[in-house]
Amino acid sequence: MVYKQLEQRGMPQPPVNVSTLRQMAAEHEPIACLTAYDASMACIVDQAGTDVVLVGDSLGMVIQGHDTTVPVTVADIIYHCRVVARGLRRAFLMADMPFMSYTTPVQALDNAVRLMQEGGAMMVKLEGGSGQVGIVEHLARHDIPVCAHIGLKPQSVHKLGGFRVQGREQADARQMVDDAAALEQAGADIVLLECVPTEVGRMVRDAVEVPVIGIGAGPHVDGQILVLYDMLGITQGRLPRFVQNFMADAGSLGAACEAYVRAVKSRAYPAPEHCFS
Ligand code: KIV
């Protein structure tokens, strides 16, 4: 029997865990996150120094070719999580809870346990505001690490009427800040904030103590995440304003991922042209 966790503590680059992420945020070291969906890309992303790898339900769009993330199932995420886990050495593995997989505390716990036990995820991410407080509380009470995804919630695309910037109205921004605080209070370990004006990113960052990871949320948050295929220029069609193509000036996939990590760590990304006002 080997206590791998203890052995890894003294390594020069020990695996990232929730404490590492908290410490990075406290020390103002930006957290670099990317999605991945297979073992080979996971390996490249990991070796580039990415801190968190998300098996996102964006796989419904970039891998499966759907228009939204709605058709993705728990079985899909488990499959991709398993293969991604095999490619990782250092990065922290987070898995998305798909559409309608967390409608009750019991269902959420069952599915989160599957993502961790069958998929190898170390944290689950779910979309929602104050309506999900009870779910987050239930997961946290069972020591399931949780990332609460607020701002633009892609699983709600049909209710929202499209993928749009959120929180432009003062009342919506206020609600988002209150939601972040309520989710932290309920036990969320990370807040992920998508597609909001820079100032709202700052307000949410200031409202909570847990790390805030942004995607299109401006430079004032604790870390950044992008969909891997977007930042590699693989995704076809019009891309959101916050995406930078890191492959354009790189000679290899590894160099592109390293350039992204460097840009996040040095705060060169996101630049003003990637931000919303
Ligand atoms: O599914 C996903 O890839 C995500 C990112 C957009 C954060 O949720």
Side-chain angles (χ1 to χ4, degrees):
M1 171 70 190
V2 175
Y3 290 100
K4 214 168 140 196
Q5 298 269 341
L6 291 178
E7 280 204 338
Q8 288 167 335
R9 258 189 220 169
M11 285 166 45
Q13 286 276 284
V16 176
N17 57 41
V18 268
S19 317
T20 326
L21 298 174
R22 247 180 263 131
Q23 195 180 336
M24 287 170 74
E27 292 173 358
H28 306 291
E29 178 188 342
I31 301 167
C33 319
L34 281 172
T35 65
Y37 315 100
D38 68 71
S40 301
M41 288 307 303
C43 194
I44 290 171
V45 162
D46 185 83
Q47 284 178 6
T50 307
D51 302 306
V52 176
V53 169
L54 168 69
V55 176
D57 59 2
S58 51
L59 71 85
M61 299 169 77
V62 299
I63 302 286
Q64 299 174 334
H66 296 296
D67 291 335
T68 73
T69 60
V70 170
V72 176
T73 65
V74 173
D76 292 334
I77 299 282
I78 289 173
Y79 170 79
H80 286 279
C81 227
R82 252 191 198 151
V83 299
V84 164
R86 289 185 204 125
L88 301 183
R89 293 283 172 277
R90 175 182 167 272
F92 186 71
L93 178 57
M94 175 152 79
D96 246 338
M97 301 204 65
F99 181 63
M100 293 298 143
S101 68
Y102 48 97
T103 58
T104 66
V106 171
Q107 184 202 25
L109 184 60
D110 282 352
N111 285 322
V113 167
R114 288 194 65 200
L115 294 178
M116 294 180 79
Q117 288 190 327
E118 297 174 42
M122 296 158 181
M123 175 177 280
V124 298
K125 173 165 87 59
L126 53 82
E127 295 180 11
S130 48
Q132 263 58 49
V133 159
I135 305 282
V136 172
E137 244 163 23
H138 192 66
L139 294 178
R141 202 175 311 128
H142 290 83
D143 287 341
I144 306 276
V146 180
C147 170
H149 182 153
I150 60 172
L152 173 62
K153 294 174 281 182
Q155 291 173 11
S156 305
V157 60
H158 297 308
K159 185 82 175 168
L160 293 170
F163 298 109
R164 298 172 201 288
V165 179
Q166 302 294 303
R168 278 201 161 125
E169 301 298 322
Q170 217 178 349
D172 296 340
R174 198 67 257 154
Q175 181 65 53
M176 225 177 274
V177 168
D178 292 348
D179 285 356
L183 289 160
E184 174 181 49
Q185 185 67 30
D189 301 276
I190 293 185
V191 169
L192 190 146
L193 184 58
E194 179 164 355
C195 220
V196 298
T198 293
E199 189 46 32
V200 178
R202 187 203 297 272
M203 286 161 66
V204 170
R205 165 60 274 142
D206 290 348
V208 296
E209 287 186 3
V210 295
V212 177
I213 307 296
I215 174 164
H220 304 304
V221 288
D222 300 304
Q224 303 291 333
I225 186 163
L226 281 177
V227 169
L228 183 66
Y229 285 22
D230 292 353
M231 59 75 84
L232 291 178
I234 296 170
T235 309
Q236 299 296 303
R238 190 166 158 224
L239 290 177
R241 175 193 174 101
F242 54 77
V243 174
Q244 179 176 331
N245 182 341
F246 284 88
M247 192 63 201
D249 298 320
S252 68
L253 296 171
C257 294
E258 280 169 16
Y260 167 75
V261 171
R262 261 198 318 276
V264 170
K265 298 278 177 191
S266 65
R267 299 187 192 276
Y269 175 83
E273 67 265 26
H274 305 121
C275 300
F276 300 106
S277 50

